[in-house]
Amino acid sequence: MATIISKLKITGSPSPPPLDGNHILQFFEVGEESANAGPGLVWRVHDAYRKSDGKECSVFVFDKRVAEKLYKPKRRETMIERIRYSVIQLEKMRNPKMLQIIHSLEESNNTIAFASESVLGSLHNILAWHEMESITVNGLPPVMPYPLNLGPPGSPLPSPTDSSMRPPFAKEYYFIDLELRYGLLQIIEALHFLHYTVRQIHRNICPQVIIVTKRGTWKLFGLEFVEDITGPDPTDMVPVAPWSIKIAKLCQPNLDFVAPEMQTNAHCNILSDMFSLGLVICAIFNSGRSLIQANNNPILYMKQMDFLEQQVDAVLPRLPGGLQEATQRLLSRDPHPRPTTQLLPLIKYFKCQNEPAIQAMQFIDVITMKDPSQKTNFYNAVLLEALPYIPKKLRWQHIWPALQLEVRTAEVLGPVLRPIMWLTNDATHEEFENHVLPTLKIYWNLMNSPKNLEASVLLLESMHVIFKKCQKDVINDELMPLLYSSMDHNSNQIQTSCMMGLLNVTEYIEEEDLHSLLLGKVKTVIEKNKSDVKVISLTLGFYEKVLGRLETSDIVDYLIPTILAMRLSDPDIINRVVKLYKAILMEKKFGLTPDTLATQLIPSLAPQTINPGLSIEQFTNLMEVILYDMLDNIDKNQRHKLRMDGRGTGSPDRHRALRHQMSNENMIAPPFNIPNLRVEKRKTSSAEDMARKNSASGPSPISGIGAFKNRFTLGKGIGQWFFGSSSTANNDNNFLRVGNASPNRRLSDNTLMTPKIRIAPSCSSSPGGTPGGNSSGLPTRRHSSIGPQERRASAVNLSPPTGGSMPNTSSSVPYLLTSSMQSIRSRRPSCASGSASAQGGSGILQQISSGVVRHLPIGSHHSMQAQVHAPLGVLQNATAAGYNALQQTAMAVRKCPSLNITLTR
């Protein structure tokens, strides 16, 4: 209000307006004259504001002294009566497309006045500026009318540039395309209301009766010459008086925009108004010049009407493409081709890509007639979608005034704030300070009201948008205190919105406020919402942003207690807490003590290690923080403290290995000892050495008893190898000695031999031992696909092989049973060379072994010797084939390079 008053005083005229004695001055503060309008521009428009609420408005004043210039008193009274009637009718209509009257007529001896919505001027005022400036359209000079004294059509008129020759109150105002489209559509709708609802013909459609408000909307005015429609069809002709020079021009319509049937046939209908509208369209796009300039002369009017079609063809290229055909039909001399107000809005020009913008602007014009639910839907959806299509000029000129009025309506305070925030984000700093900031301060005063919860939430969440446009002093003096005080609100929604707003404006927080005020408030908010995942997430985000600005005391006194107050259950929240702890531990300036880690942080995280919702990555992060960051920190600090206290200097290697000690390179396997197992040094040999050794150990002639004794010794050895010996006279004689037949063997030759193994028969638990006896077990087979150090147990006990490699030993050898022996005999039929004699010899050897099994108990050593020597005579008298088979069998066993079996008594 103060701004409006100052403008009125500064720009006001030195002499007061001619309103002396008019009662309208009791209600309005009237300023200088700013425009004129109406037939003959008889209405003087003054800027004003209403004293009761400071509403900006305009006051229209008619000076009765103008009517005194008329010669006949009767006509003077008729004119004044028409003036009164037009205002009264306009007030009764209260249509948003007509000029809105906010205060009815007030009359004094010299003046008639009324107040209306704030007016920029008439369309005539704006076009007068364009006309005198000779503004070209699309680079072409304006099309001139054809008066008798100005030559042929197209002849340019003089364009005076002297300001003294300009019409009074000419407005330097430029229309944009959307503004023109929407303005014309408003006049069409106003005529539609007048023709089909009020059932009247306007008769004086011209720029003088089209009012442009300060919001940029076009309103219809000037009902002084209206005619009622008497017939059922609005297109029926109504008789009217033609324009005459015998009557004062103030008492007749504007001749330059009159339809030809009114002048030639003395009748009109609603299509006559459409012809006048066509002339208005041409004047708009022809730099404000009408195609007819009769100079209040009916004869000149009729002469120019003969060239109207040529004038229209010349001006059409200046019109938008979608409007050319409709304008050509509007200016037809025959009324029937002219489109009505029902058809004209349907043309392509009014149905373009900017239609959402036009619809939004149309709704804004009638927003005061809508209920709160309709307003809410419009502000939340329709207007937000249309704002990008509305030019910035119309946003502030047309949309913003309506939003300002809605701020005072509590029912839609929240929804209307959404488009306000959109405009704020798109505004310049100057636009924000001039338009938005004063309106937002109204919100700040209403935030504590329970009815405005939605608006408060939205305002707090949009703080970062407001901060970008405000000056620093406004932020520190008004916005920050508002944000801090809202954190103490009891509503969970307000507190959540405060945390969201705080998270978005952390860079504007002063250091003093952060340490002394804000951290404590954040802790209080978490204590009230310890289970609210959204509040917890916002709080963690806040700490993540300000962590670098905190001190050790802030961490210990606020951050850690705040996190400990949270109920950690959500996996994402747990993972963020883990990362925050890790960031704190990596900052040396914080220096968390082992006591804090051991008594606060680890106990809060340890239960989450069994949280079933954690992913493998989240679990790994959690364990790394506990084991490698926290426990490592405790170990380092506590060990140093113990050493400084003189409580021992033990090596860390004696204690549990930490992270740096758990590497594969630093892990040493403990020795594995098998009782009563002796492993001789392994010898290897190359493939060539092994081949020579095998050749050297080939079969040699055996003859006589000595040879047989050797073979008997071999048989005895095989028996002891299979069944063990009960002799304990000499420990060395009770061990199975396996020699490596290929020393220094390369791994790549796949003939790497096992070391010599001695197994004590007295250990029943040793590998290969039979339960209940002091026997030695058999080696198990080594799989060819694994290395020499890897052993796997075999399901079957195999007899000594005849190949060049030695079987592996295993940690577990199955017990040898009779059924196993049968399996061995069936699996190893080719111990010799595969001949029939060899098979026979093998059978004799098997009979010897089986005889020992059947006739001798294993437990008696002397009985064993007797039974072994008993078959000697039988063997001496054996057939040659059997002897040769036995010899070949012994030779086959002797050839085995993998076994070096020596059995001694």
Side-chain angles (χ1 to χ4, degrees), residues 695-768:
S695 301
S697 60
S700 60
I702 302 176
S703 61
I705 299 299
F708 180 78
K709 289 182 179 181
N710 291 337
R711 285 153 182 77
F712 176 77
T713 304
L714 176 62
K716 179 179 177 182
I718 293 175
Q720 290 179 348
W721 182 42
F722 282 139
F723 304 102
S725 173
S726 62
S727 175
T728 58
N730 190 354
N731 291 335
D732 291 339
N733 296 331
N734 294 332
F735 287 91
L736 172 63
R737 178 175 301 172
V738 181
N740 191 343
S742 56
N744 300 323
R745 178 67 172 157
R746 292 196 304 269
L747 289 175
S748 61
D749 294 330
N750 199 23
T751 57
L752 184 63
M753 300 296 106
T754 60
K756 187 178 293 184
I757 304 173
R758 297 177 182 270
I759 304 176
S762 60
C763 181
S764 61
S765 63
S766 62

Side-chain angles (χ1 to χ4, degrees), residues 222 258 389 455 484:
V258 168
Y389 300 98
Y484 297 153

Side-chain angles (χ1 to χ4, degrees), residues 192-317:
H192 180 80
F193 168 76
L194 194 65
H195 292 167
Y196 293 94
T197 303
V198 184
R199 295 182 62 82
Q200 288 181 339
I201 305 171
H202 192 279
R203 291 183 61 209
N204 191 30
I205 299 299
C206 63
Q208 295 173 347
V209 299
I210 296 176
I211 305 299
V212 180
T213 67
K214 289 187 176 179
R215 290 176 50 191
T217 57
W218 294 11
K219 302 297 181 75
L220 190 58
F221 178 61
L223 302 179
E224 290 82 4
F225 307 107
V226 295
E227 290 288 341
D228 295 332
I229 299 174
T230 57
D233 187 358
T235 59
D236 292 342
M237 290 296 179
V238 176
V240 292
W243 207 96
S244 174
I245 58 174
K246 297 179 180 180
I247 303 174
K249 63 179 181 180
L250 298 179
C251 300
Q252 300 181 90
N254 190 338
L255 184 59
D256 292 345
F257 293 89
V258 168
E261 63 269 14
M262 293 175 60
Q263 189 65 21
T264 58
N265 300 328
H267 61 249
C268 68
N269 61 3
I270 59 173
L271 298 178
S272 301
D273 287 343
M274 303 307 294
F275 181 91
S276 301
L277 180 62
L279 290 175
V280 171
I281 294 174
C282 290
I284 292 173
F285 292 96
N286 193 37
S287 301
R289 290 187 173 93
S290 174
L291 296 184
I292 298 176
Q293 294 185 0
N295 196 21
N296 298 321
N297 188 340
I299 298 176
L300 187 58
Y301 169 86
M302 295 304 298
K303 289 184 176 295
Q304 292 187 9
M305 188 63 64
D306 294 337
F307 295 93
L308 180 63
E309 187 175 353
Q310 300 176 16
Q311 297 288 87
V312 171
D313 292 340
V315 81
L316 281 181

Side-chain angles (χ1 to χ4, degrees), residues 690 694 740-742 745 750-753 801-807 895-899:
M690 188 183 71
N694 290 342
N740 191 343
S742 56
R745 178 67 172 157
N750 199 23
T751 57
L752 184 63
M753 300 296 106
T802 60
S805 63
M806 181 178 178
K895 284 181 180 180
C896 178
S898 302
L899 297 176

Side-chain angles (χ1 to χ4, degrees), residues 719 722-727 775 852-853 855-861 863-864:
F722 282 139
F723 304 102
S725 173
S726 62
S727 175
S775 61
V852 175
V853 173
H855 300 290
L856 290 180
I858 300 176
S860 175
H861 175 68
S863 170
M864 178 69 179

